[in-house]
Amino acid sequence: MFRAWTARIVLAALTLEIGLICSLYMGDLPLLRRTEEGVFQTFLSWVRDFDSGQVILETNPEADGWSLRSLEREETGIQNWSFVEVPLEPELFDGHQPKPSEYAILLAKMYQSGARELAFSQPLNWEEAPELELLALDSALRPFSEVLLPLDLSEVPQPEASPAWLTESLVGRTGLIGDASSLPLMNQVMVPPSVSGRSGVEFAFPDFGGRDLQFRAPGRLPVLARWGEDFLLSWPLSLAMRMEGVTPEELIIAPGRSLRLGPDGPVIPLDDFGRAKIDEVEPPLEELPTLSAKSFFPLGEVDLPELSNGAVLIGQTDLRMAEKSQRLVAEARHLLQFPRPGKAESFRRLSLGWEVFLYCEIVLVAIFALYLRPFPQLIALAVLCGGLFFLPWAF
């Protein structure tokens, strides 16, 4: 009776082994891949001394195996960006907020000074603005290759249809690893922007809107939200990506684990609710060199200040907006302080011939187990099951 029971277990294990081998070489089962990754990482930790939170383990198709990359700290790439404060000064602007035409003049001078990418920390919304002024602002924005604008969002029970101009800002699920159902859902634009959406104009949320109090916590920075089947990025994350030179298609999103800005970018710890764990890294200490918008309106024959490729317009029209603008820029710089993957160390699988030989050895162990006493049979079965994952990485 016991030997018949053992034979059934052996046959079932062999059948499972054959199925796993076929799936590993001929298919792509996410659960199986994650299990194999976890087993290999555990096995590697037995022979190598490393902190799992300080390494990146990823598949390496070229080596038909895995690559291990230690996380290292490097200097950030904000040198290519300039920061321009837009204060409320009577000699520059007439009202509480600069008019569209006043912004158009400032942007034209900034483009003349060398800026080619823009990021606004303050929404460009006007309740009542002449159409000609809005057209002037739109014309002033067109020469810039990329423009980032904040957008206030919220969640409502019966949302309106997603606006067409927001499509360019949505990020697909190509780089998603795992489950994103716990991310906050946004489905309503609170105040539509006064500028027209076009290619190169990206909208991002500065916070979680009406759900910000629910999700914001000390040491946690909202960076990711759902919009339908896609994702929307936060303003600090979008600015950090532009400073890093990373496109949305290069994001590697693993809710509950990490958010990586491209293959070689910062690895940001991410919780299940789309928040970065910024308390795990020190904020940048150095002050940013910042220009005033007034410097672009010099008196007399004075040259305009030179700007780098990217420019951030920091809204300072009142005390509340000044604090919020400074916070958003600081959060973007904070995201760039996280360590990045270093040089890769590859671990290659065995050749197909060696793996076939080893699995044949497992079959012999299974057959031999049928003729042993009960306790040795259990030991042989344990060796059989262990070979399912460990033997491909034994050499």
Side-chain angles (χ1 to χ4, degrees), residues 18-242:
I18 294 173
L20 292 178
I21 296 173
C22 295
S23 298
L24 285 172
Y25 284 100
M26 303 179 63
D28 186 15
L29 300 178
L31 177 60
L32 182 60
R33 293 290 181 182
R34 288 196 298 269
T35 304
E36 186 191 31
E37 176 184 343
V39 171
F40 172 65
Q41 186 167 348
T42 302
F43 176 70
L44 187 62
S45 65
W46 294 347
V47 297
R48 294 282 298 275
D49 183 19
F50 67 89
D51 182 1
S52 60
Q54 296 299 317
V55 297
I56 292 293
L57 183 65
E58 54 191 358
T59 57
N60 187 349
E62 296 180 0
D64 189 22
W66 301 94
S67 64
L68 186 70
R69 306 177 67 183
S70 299
L71 298 182
E72 304 171 353
R73 297 191 182 277
E74 296 181 5
E75 294 295 329
T76 60
I78 65 172
Q79 297 89 346
N80 294 330
W81 283 76
S82 305
F83 299 85
V84 180
E85 289 184 345
V86 185
L88 178 61
E89 296 185 3
E91 61 269 23
L92 285 180
F93 310 117
D94 294 335
H96 177 71
Q97 181 183 7
K99 298 177 181 179
S101 58
E102 295 171 331
Y103 258 126
I105 297 174
L106 173 61
L107 296 180
K109 291 182 175 293
M110 291 178 61
Y111 186 86
Q112 183 180 351
S113 298
R116 295 297 180 265
E117 299 180 37
L118 286 179
F120 292 82
S121 68
Q122 184 173 350
L124 298 183
N125 302 326
W126 290 271
E127 295 182 0
E128 296 181 0
E131 185 175 354
L132 287 178
E133 289 202 9
L134 295 177
L135 289 175
L137 175 60
D138 188 68
S139 299
L141 287 172
R142 287 191 177 279
F144 294 92
S145 59
E146 295 183 1
V147 179
L148 174 62
L149 292 168
L151 188 67
D152 293 326
L153 305 174
S154 185
E155 181 190 12
V156 296
Q158 296 180 342
E160 300 177 358
S162 179
W165 48 264
L166 192 60
T167 305
E168 290 283 340
S169 305
L170 299 179
V171 179
R173 293 178 171 247
T174 305
L176 176 64
I177 302 175
D179 181 26
S181 59
S182 297
L183 297 181
L185 176 65
M186 299 295 173
N187 54 19
Q188 184 70 42
V189 177
M190 301 299 294
V191 182
S194 297
V195 297
S196 59
R198 59 171 177 83
S199 177
V201 176
E202 179 187 352
F203 297 94
F205 63 89
D207 49 49
F208 282 153
R211 306 186 69 182
D212 197 52
L213 293 178
Q214 176 185 355
F215 286 98
R216 187 174 287 273
R220 296 293 186 269
L221 172 64
V223 294
L224 204 61
R226 289 181 295 145
W227 184 282
E229 295 297 323
D230 299 313
F231 300 115
L232 266 176
L233 309 180
S234 72
W235 193 92
L237 175 59
S238 296
L239 180 58
M241 290 171 56
R242 290 167 184 268

Side-chain angles (χ1 to χ4, degrees), residues 333-348:
R333 297 183 61 209
H334 207 144
L335 294 177
L336 294 175
Q337 300 300 309
F338 285 93
R340 307 153 184 265
K343 186 178 179 181
E345 181 180 2
S346 298
F347 296 86
R348 184 182 296 274

Side-chain angles (χ1 to χ4, degrees), residues 6-18:
T6 306
R8 293 189 182 96
I9 295 296
V10 170
L11 292 175
L14 291 176
T15 303
L16 175 62
E17 181 179 340
I18 294 173

